[in-house]
């Protein structure tokens, strides 16, 4: 039996989009897909409980040129080289600046020649050493990122504008209402809340619960450590049925698809899927890098940017009471309608270098 060619995907533990990309590669039927995060190739697995701190420091330093010396770097290089030897991929796809920097360094140190494609999974170019860590090709969301790469010395022919590699089903209004009924949601407008910090999400949920029966709130809480604080806020609702706390990851997008408004911390996967699904987005950031992306999206009329928790409530009412929501949905549709995960996979599986 002839061996299928392999697409090796290197990512970071916090990056959620690689699973969908791998699934789409496998669904094509012509290639295998293998996903490795830094649990397998980075420093995290080397130091037990201290590994998480070591890995976080490594992720910050490596893309900007640091973290390239010492025992940890040698182990990382050896692990990447071992994966390349084991899987013999046709192409390596890197999903984060850290993954690309780690691969580029190992390639230089260990002398293998397999090409790499870096998917820039953001709306503005992140900080990084894009000259010394250059991939053989880049997939970017927009022309502004391509121009920024050109300023860093990356030839234009090596940069493909293909959107982000995330698809999402768009429901008709009737399908959305039926979906709400199946999930036990009232027919009133539903706000989907996505955040990953315990204190912030509890405070936001409390503000939304205080709006009474005007809205339903679906709150995503994959981390069970948050449940106590969230349930305490939910118990203060006028009608307990108006608040749903989702703890199962497999239900995350089921609830998002039937929601009318999505409120999220900066998360490129969630935001891009909302564009695809026709959902207006209110977003907020907690870091300078997140704010750079959100300000870019807001300037292009794609999201509503909330700079405080109170802003979130005011913007929800603005979306509910005017035609503003449809304007944002239209902009998101225009932004994404020419791009698909299928096209990205087609490019990757046929990639032979530039």
């Amino acid at each position: 039996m002839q061996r299928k060619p392999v697409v090796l995907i290197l990512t970071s533990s916090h990056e959620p989009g690689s699973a969908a990309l791998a699934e789409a590669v496998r669904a094509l039927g012509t290639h295998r897909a293998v996903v490795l995060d830094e649990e397998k190739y980075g420093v995290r697995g080397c130091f037990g409980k201290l590994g998480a701190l070591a890995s976080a420091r490594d992720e910050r330093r490596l893309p900007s040129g640091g973290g390239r010396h010492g025992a940890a770097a040698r182990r990382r290089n050896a692990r990447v080289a071992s994966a390349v030897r084991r899987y013999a991929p046709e192409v390596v796809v890197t999903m984060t600046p850290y993954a690309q920097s780690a691969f580029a360094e190992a390639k230089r140190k260990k002398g293998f020649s397999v090409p790499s494609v870096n998917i820039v999974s953001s709306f503005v170019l992140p900080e990084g050493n894009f000259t010394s860590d250059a991939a053989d090709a880049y997939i970017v969301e927009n022309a502004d990122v391509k121009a920024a790469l050109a300023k860093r010395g990356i030839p234009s022919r090596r940069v493909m504008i293909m959107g982000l590699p995330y698809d999402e089903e768009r429901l008709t209004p009737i399908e959305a209402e039926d979906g709400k009924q199946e999930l036990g949601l009232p027919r009133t407008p539903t706000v989907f809340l996505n955040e990953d910090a315990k204190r912030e999400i509890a405070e936001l949920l409390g503000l939304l619960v205080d709006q009474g029966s005007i809205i339903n709130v679906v709150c995503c809480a994959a981390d069970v450590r948050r449940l106590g604080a969230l349930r305490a806020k939910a118990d203060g609702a006028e009608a307990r049925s108006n608040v749903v706390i989702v703890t199962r990851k497999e239900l995350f997008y089921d609830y998002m698809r039937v929601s009318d408004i999505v409120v999220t911390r900066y998360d490129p996967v969630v935001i891009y899927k909302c564009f695809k699904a026709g959902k207006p987005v209110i977003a907020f950031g907690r870091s300078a890098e997140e704010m750079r992306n959100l300000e870019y999206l807001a300037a292009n009329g794609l999201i509503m940017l909330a700079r405080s928790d109170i802003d979130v409530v005011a913007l929800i009412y603005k979306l509910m009471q005017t035609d503003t929501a449809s304007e944002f949905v239209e902009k998101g549709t225009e932004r994404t309608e020419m791009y698909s995960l299928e096209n990205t996979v087609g490019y990757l599986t046929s990639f032979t270098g530039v």
Side-chain angles (χ1 to χ4, degrees):
M1 182 176 178
Q2 189 174 5
R3 170 187 177 274
K4 286 185 178 180
V6 173
V7 175
L8 177 61
I9 301 171
L10 296 185
T11 186
S12 302
S13 296
H14 58 77
E15 188 281 316
S18 54
L21 180 64
E23 183 180 345
V25 170
R26 296 170 188 135
L28 187 64
T30 60
H31 289 65
R32 291 178 59 208
V34 177
V35 180
L36 298 179
D37 66 21
E38 77 264 26
E39 291 279 0
K40 299 293 180 59
Y41 70 84
V43 301
R44 181 188 295 267
C46 304
F47 302 110
K49 289 185 177 181
L50 294 177
L53 292 175
S55 181
R57 183 172 62 249
D58 206 42
E59 283 200 38
R60 288 194 301 271
R61 295 176 63 203
L62 190 57
S64 59
R68 301 182 186 277
H69 306 286
R74 289 192 293 273
R75 280 191 287 265
R76 184 180 57 235
N77 293 339
R79 288 180 174 195
V80 173
S82 176
V84 169
R85 288 194 302 270
R86 177 181 178 184
Y87 296 109
E90 301 294 308
V91 62
V92 172
V93 181
T94 57
M95 299 289 290
T96 65
Y98 173 76
Q100 177 55 35
S101 293
F103 177 76
E105 182 192 7
K107 188 173 180 178
R108 285 193 300 271
K109 297 289 187 180
K110 298 298 184 179
F112 51 82
S113 60
V114 60
S116 67
V117 177
N118 179 221
I119 296 179
V120 181
S121 296
S122 59
F123 303 96
V124 300
L125 187 66
E127 298 298 326
N129 197 342
F130 285 89
T131 301
S132 65
D133 290 340
D136 294 276
Y138 292 84
I139 293 174
V140 300
E141 197 268 341
N142 60 71
D144 294 317
V145 174
K146 181 171 182 174
L149 281 169
K151 288 182 179 179
R152 302 278 187 91
I154 305 299
S156 178
R157 70 179 184 279
R158 290 165 57 183
V159 184
M160 301 292 293
I161 302 172
M162 303 186 73
L164 296 182
Y166 315 120
D167 282 338
E168 188 55 61
E169 180 184 7
R170 176 174 293 217
L171 303 181
T172 67
I174 293 176
E175 288 172 335
E177 290 302 314
D178 289 345
K180 284 183 183 180
Q181 186 174 0
E182 289 176 8
L183 293 170
L185 294 171
R187 293 185 176 274
T188 45
T190 298
V191 175
F192 184 91
L193 175 58
N194 173 50
E195 164 65 302
D196 61 4
K198 182 176 180 179
R199 183 183 65 81
E200 285 86 351
I201 194 172
E203 294 302 318
L204 266 175
L205 179 59
L207 281 173
L208 298 182
V209 166
D210 286 345
Q211 307 312 305
S213 59
I214 296 174
I215 58 175
N216 310 318
V217 183
V218 175
C219 181
C220 175
D223 186 345
V224 295
R225 292 173 296 180
R226 307 174 195 164
L227 291 182
L230 295 176
R231 284 175 176 155
K233 296 291 184 181
D235 288 341
E238 287 184 11
R240 187 63 181 82
S241 61
N242 283 5
V243 182
V244 176
I245 298 174
V246 179
T247 58
R248 293 167 55 193
K249 290 183 178 180
E250 62 268 27
L251 295 177
F252 184 101
Y253 289 109
D254 290 342
Y255 278 95
M256 193 194 81
R257 276 191 293 268
V258 303
S259 297
D260 300 286
I261 297 170
V262 173
V263 178
T264 181
R265 178 176 178 169
Y266 175 70
D267 181 329
V269 180
V270 171
I271 291 172
Y272 199 80
K273 281 176 170 282
C274 285
F275 295 162
K276 287 275 190 177
K279 305 298 178 184
V281 177
I282 298 169
F284 51 93
R286 306 293 187 193
S287 71
E289 186 70 19
E290 291 175 353
M291 291 304 295
R292 286 179 63 227
N293 279 272
L294 295 178
E295 287 167 354
Y296 171 85
L297 293 173
N300 283 274
L302 291 160
I303 65 161
M304 302 188 87
L305 175 57
R307 298 186 183 275
S308 69
D309 290 353
I310 295 299
D311 281 352
V312 170
V313 177
L315 293 175
I316 286 172
Y317 280 102
K318 185 173 182 180
L319 288 173
M320 289 171 56
Q321 295 171 355
T322 69
D323 292 330
T324 305
S326 61
E327 295 172 6
F328 281 95
V329 168
E330 184 178 353
K331 284 285 186 69
T333 300
E334 291 175 357
R335 183 83 171 193
T336 60
E337 63 185 349
M338 298 298 293
Y339 307 120
S340 69
L341 177 57
E342 181 182 2
N343 288 344
T344 298
V345 168
Y347 175 75
L348 293 173
T349 53
S350 63
F351 186 80
T352 57
V354 177

